[in-house]
Amino acid sequence: MKNYQRSSALFAAAQQVIPGGVNSPVRAFKSVGGDPIFVKQAKGAYLYDEDGNRLIDYINSWGPMVLGHAYEPVVDAVIEKTKLGTSFGMPTEIETTIAELAVAMVPNIDKIRFVNSGTEACMSAVRLARGFTGKDKIIKFAGCYHGHSDAFLIQAGSGAVTFGHPNSPGVTAGTAKDTLLARYNDLDSVREIIAANTGEIACVIIEPVAGNMGCIPPRTGFLEGLRELCDTHKILLIFDEVMTGFRLAAGGVQELLGIRADIVTFGKVIGGGLPVGAFAARNEIMEYLAPLGPVYQAGTLSGNPLAMAAGLAMLTELHNKPEIFKSLEEKTKYLHQGIATTLEKHGVIHTINRLGSMISVHFAPDAVVDFESSAQGNNETFKKFFHGMLAQGIYIAPSAFETWFITDALTYADLDETIAAVNVVAQTL
Ligand SMILES: *Cc1c(COP(=O)(O)O)cnc(C)c1O
């Protein structure tokens, strides 16, 4: 059993000066109880906390550290860049270099613009879609998360749901009325909304593999059907690949499942652990953006040289070593099988969803295919599971609505250690 005393003391101090002691709500352990762990440093697949515990990390900064913490090519690139100055607010060559690489890796995009977070990327993508189509309404799916900007905080999955505010106060009725809610994996729900709002819908935004209500892969034909509906009704299809981009394949879900999006958003992996987001599309759409076109979007620190250096180092590794995606998938599959066998052995009711290196364990009896079925999971069992795993030195996300993010830094010995921990914890569930 691990001791987390110093973390608890640091949390008490943080709560005096930071709301809830955290700068992003899901870091608090509100839905599982207890105090969050304060991390001191990390290397590869391991976190080292302020109490001196080593934890195997299945969050990996919520996705970015797909090659592990303190990954040397990324760290070195940032150190070298830092010596040359940290921000200029002027164009730099590295912005073109990473843009060229991203455009080469991702299908169906000609141009990309860099911002500072996934939230900013999605917010800007929707503005661009509205400007391009001249229409106001957007369709999103219950349980999908696209960052915390107003238009998206309507049944937004993970963090928002964990805190029991599916629709955040502070979002005006005017904004909310332009966001129409469909059901994930349910094309009919989209058809109905389109029929009731003919000619008014600018875009459909979706996590093409959902990751913020657990991991929910799209049903066969669902994304294809969406593509067709969007084409028929002249609606832009936005793939929010903030989580899946550069994780499920070098070209994200567009490449993995062979489906074309009109606008794609990125975050997480694209920044190699520094604050980076991006949105991209074909020329016709991107040329609507200022300074070429009328849709305004800007950022003092956008394309920041340190962030670009980290992102470029990360994408270069993924580009040069495509076998990483296979390796990630095989490790995740091994973990999936190990956990499933162990939970079955102990008679624990569960459903495990997985695609590539995204996996989630639901203590739910039935298939988890949308937000409603994800919410059927037993949160009391999840809480016990979470704290049990933590006591064994395994760090998974402190919410039943989160995906586990597998890093290639995990060894098979780490995976076996994790499965052994599940074996201990399952006996207490
Ligand atoms: C994390 C996430 C976002 C928001 O990105 P931030 O960098 O946290 O603003 C948007 N969409 C998806 C799918 C995400 O997983």
Side-chain angles (χ1 to χ4, degrees), residues 292-325:
L292 292 179
V295 174
Y296 194 69
Q297 185 279 326
T300 300
L301 292 175
S302 291
N304 172 271
L306 310 192
M308 295 294 97
L312 179 61
M314 177 65 103
L315 297 199
T316 302
E317 289 290 293
L318 296 174
H319 181 64
N320 293 345
K321 300 176 188 164
E323 66 277 8
I324 287 169
F325 297 102

Side-chain angles (χ1 to χ4, degrees), residues 129-148:
R130 285 172 162 156
F132 183 77
T133 59
K135 299 185 268 186
D136 287 348
K137 294 186 177 172
I138 69 171
I139 296 180
K140 83 172 278 287
F141 294 84
C144 279
Y145 182 66
H146 306 294
H148 66 91

